[in-house]
Amino acid sequence: MAKLYFYYASMNAGKSTMLLQADFNYRERGMNTMLFTAAIDDRFAYGTIASRIGLSQPATPFQATTDLEACALDQHGRTPLACILVDEAQFLTPEQVDQLARLADRHRIPVLCYGLRTDFKGQLFPGSARLLALADALSEIKSVCVCGAKATMNLRVDGQGKAIAEGAQTEIGGNDRYVALCRRHFGEALAGEPVLEAEAKPD
């Protein structure tokens, strides 16, 4: 049976790199894939999944109104798909996650989703919440906080590196706007404490 997978992590954990590696593995074996990425992410060329280490691959951009099931089935009818891969999956709507689940359940196409679990306030994205509810397999991709502990939170910062606690849930940015932190340092940063410099580790 095909499955719906959700690989989640904080910012800069290598999610896109892992997606592109998985895509390469399928294509290397002569299997067809279909890639989706959020149209709202304008950090790279439109319709491109790009990683921080220089890998990239064309993808179909999706918006909140995009019917992913219809797009995938149209492609599947022309060139049978062995896998569907979704980058920036936190930007999916709950309805789109349902569509992806149907592609796995009814059409037996594995779907691999990669994205953030929570926003800069520590709240679940709607798409991520639905994936956590429906996915057959959940896998956390590890990232590291400035203290060396596991980073699980995404702190939004201003131009001076100070924490931002209010604003729209979606604001596109990279290292200039977000810092991956452990829960402790995330809370301290929101409280106004200077935690963005590496701490000395105890002996």
Side-chain angles (χ1 to χ4, degrees):
M1 183 181 76
K3 293 182 178 181
L4 173 63
Y5 299 82
F6 183 32
Y7 298 90
Y8 63 90
S10 59
M11 293 286 292
N12 302 322
K15 298 180 293 298
S16 296
T17 301
M18 291 187 65
L19 182 155
L20 293 171
Q21 180 63 58
D23 176 64
F24 176 81
N25 291 344
Y26 275 98
R27 292 179 181 275
E28 188 179 37
R29 290 161 177 77
M31 301 178 182
N32 297 314
T33 62
M34 186 170 189
L35 278 59
F36 287 101
T37 191
I40 194 173
D41 190 349
D42 58 2
R43 291 174 296 167
F44 313 107
Y46 186 74
T48 299
I49 297 174
S51 72
R52 290 179 297 136
I53 63 173
L55 302 175
S56 65
Q57 187 74 10
T60 300
F62 69 84
Q63 301 177 358
T65 56
T66 304
D67 187 331
L68 302 184
E69 185 177 13
C71 289
L73 290 179
D74 179 66
Q75 181 65 35
H76 188 56
R78 288 182 279 119
T79 54
L81 297 172
C83 184
I84 296 166
L85 301 101
V86 183
D87 197 30
E88 304 294 348
Q90 69 273 11
F91 296 132
L92 293 167
T93 66
E95 292 76 17
Q96 287 172 327
V97 175
D98 291 345
Q99 293 168 10
L100 296 174
R102 287 196 295 270
L103 287 168
D105 295 342
R106 299 180 184 177
H107 304 283
R108 297 183 175 86
I109 308 172
V111 181
L112 282 60
C113 297
Y114 297 77
L116 302 175
R117 182 178 59 171
T118 57
D119 63 15
F120 74 107
K121 295 181 181 179
Q123 302 295 318
L124 289 170
F125 286 94
S128 301
R130 191 62 175 158
L131 281 165
L132 289 170
L134 290 188
D136 299 289
L138 303 171
S139 182
E140 183 178 23
I141 303 171
K142 302 297 190 296
S143 186
V144 180
C145 177
V146 293
C147 68
K150 182 175 71 172
T152 58
M153 312 300 289
N154 304 296
L155 182 73
R156 184 182 292 174
V157 297
D158 61 18
Q160 287 70 50
K162 295 182 179 179
I164 297 175
E166 298 297 333
Q169 183 177 55
T170 299
E171 184 174 314
I172 302 302
N175 293 341
D176 59 326
R177 297 294 290 153
Y178 294 94
V179 180
L181 296 174
C182 65
R183 187 177 62 238
R184 171 195 160 196
H185 281 130
F186 176 79
E188 290 178 356
L190 289 180
E193 299 182 34
V195 296
L196 300 188
E197 295 181 1
E199 295 183 341
K201 295 183 181 180
D203 295 333

